[in-house]
Amino acid sequence: KQEVTQIPAALSVPEGENLVLNCSFTDSAIYNLQWFRQDPGKGLTSLLLIQSSQREQTSGRLNASLDKSSGRSTLYIAASQPGDSATYLCAVRGSNFNKFYFGSGTKLNVKP
Amino acid sequence: EPEVTQTPSHQVTQMGQEVILRCVPISNHLYFYWYRQILGQKVEFLVSFYNNEISEKSEIFDDQFSVERPDGSNFTLKIRSTKLEDSAMYFCASSVGASDTQYFGPGTRLTVL
């Protein structure tokens, strides 16, 4: 069964810092990987989707990379802002592409 | 921008009662999903639905659960006889295609007493 792990579980940084969130998965036979943001008590907001054939995706200050063979993805956030404070989740779509496996998330706090 | 909506935002029920959670996916999306998140735990996949039938379900999605698309817009999750451990946030999601971005609704918080 696919297991998704996110490190660190929590991260506190001063505003303006560049940071990297990590996601690892045990079964490299994935269809795609999606990064989400979750604000307290709210739903999930999609940030980036990387297909298994892609190495990275970028959106604004966010850059996500995927190394399928090693079972890793990173989410890079440039010039962090207090509004980036949230929990960031990665989710892997399995090779049968109808199941999604989520990590536990990294809770990010960006201090003004 | 189109979004997935869910009702109610919070449902309180007694153990053993039936509940129906409702979702309106984005209108041109063809794939629909339900997930749940027990407080403090991971988001867990429950079921995916395409072409009016279940395409995949998890071990959690046992006989007490069912899904339906009763009309062209709603997608429902029914829990037949709720248990205390069904208390969780339930998220609906939809996507255009199977490999496309999933868009999530705001969730329904289910509390079983």
Side-chain angles (χ1 to χ4, degrees):
Chain A
K1 184 189 167 186
Q2 178 77 267
E3 292 289 340
V4 181
T5 304
Q6 290 187 247
I7 294 173
L11 184 62
S12 184
V13 300
E15 181 177 4
E17 203 162 284
N18 301 324
L19 54 102
V20 175
L21 308 182
N22 296 291
C23 172
S24 61
F25 45 95
T26 54
D27 183 352
S28 62
I30 65 167
Y31 202 78
N32 58 35
L33 183 146
Q34 194 165 347
W35 281 94
F36 295 89
R37 167 190 173 130
Q38 185 175 29
D39 292 282
K42 299 283 180 66
L44 281 66
T45 301
S46 177
L47 298 174
L48 289 163
L49 171 72
I50 310 179
Q51 302 294 349
S52 61
S53 58
Q54 298 175 321
R55 295 299 299 262
E56 65 179 291
Q57 284 287 332
T58 297
S59 176
R61 295 182 293 110
L62 305 179
N63 176 278
S65 68
L66 174 64
D67 183 345
K68 208 173 69 157
S69 61
S70 67
R72 292 172 196 254
S73 176
T74 61
L75 179 67
Y76 175 82
I77 303 177
S80 57
Q81 303 169 358
D84 295 332
S85 298
T87 296
Y88 290 80
L89 301 172
C90 76
V92 165
R93 190 192 289 267
S95 54
N96 69 359
F97 73 72
N98 275 319
K99 265 190 180 178
F100 242 20
Y101 300 89
F102 277 81
S104 300
T106 293
K107 187 172 183 179
L108 174 65
N109 178 35
V110 181
K111 298 171 288 188
Chain B
E1 186 174 326
E3 57 184 21
V4 177
T5 59
Q6 291 186 242
T7 54
S9 56
H10 191 188
Q11 172 94 46
V12 181
T13 190
Q14 295 291 325
M15 190 169 57
Q17 295 295 304
E18 175 183 288
V19 294
I20 297 176
L21 310 183
R22 290 184 167 79
C23 167
V24 179
I26 295 172
S27 62
N28 64 329
H29 286 191
L30 300 177
Y31 290 79
F32 315 114
Y33 313 85
W34 283 102
Y35 295 85
R36 77 173 186 190
Q37 187 177 32
I38 296 170
L39 189 63
Q41 297 187 22
K42 288 185 180 185
V43 175
E44 299 173 290
F45 168 81
L46 291 178
V47 66
S48 59
F49 191 87
Y50 168 71
N51 199 27
N52 276 321
E53 60 182 29
I54 291 173
S55 48
E56 188 71 51
K57 60 182 181 179
S58 72
E59 317 76 52
I60 303 167
F61 194 89
D62 60 22
D63 292 344
Q64 69 163 335
F65 292 94
S66 62
V67 289
E68 194 177 30
R69 189 154 163 82
D71 52 45
S73 58
N74 289 282
F75 179 51
T76 62
L77 174 69
K78 182 192 288 187
I79 309 175
R80 256 179 275 284
S81 177
T82 50
K83 305 171 191 165
L84 295 176
E85 54 266 36
D86 293 329
S87 294
M89 184 75 103
Y90 288 80
F91 293 107
C92 172
S94 68
S95 63
V96 174
S99 62
D100 294 319
T101 297
Q102 290 192 19
Y103 293 90
F104 279 67
T108 292
R109 180 168 298 284
L110 176 65
T111 302
V112 182
L113 302 175

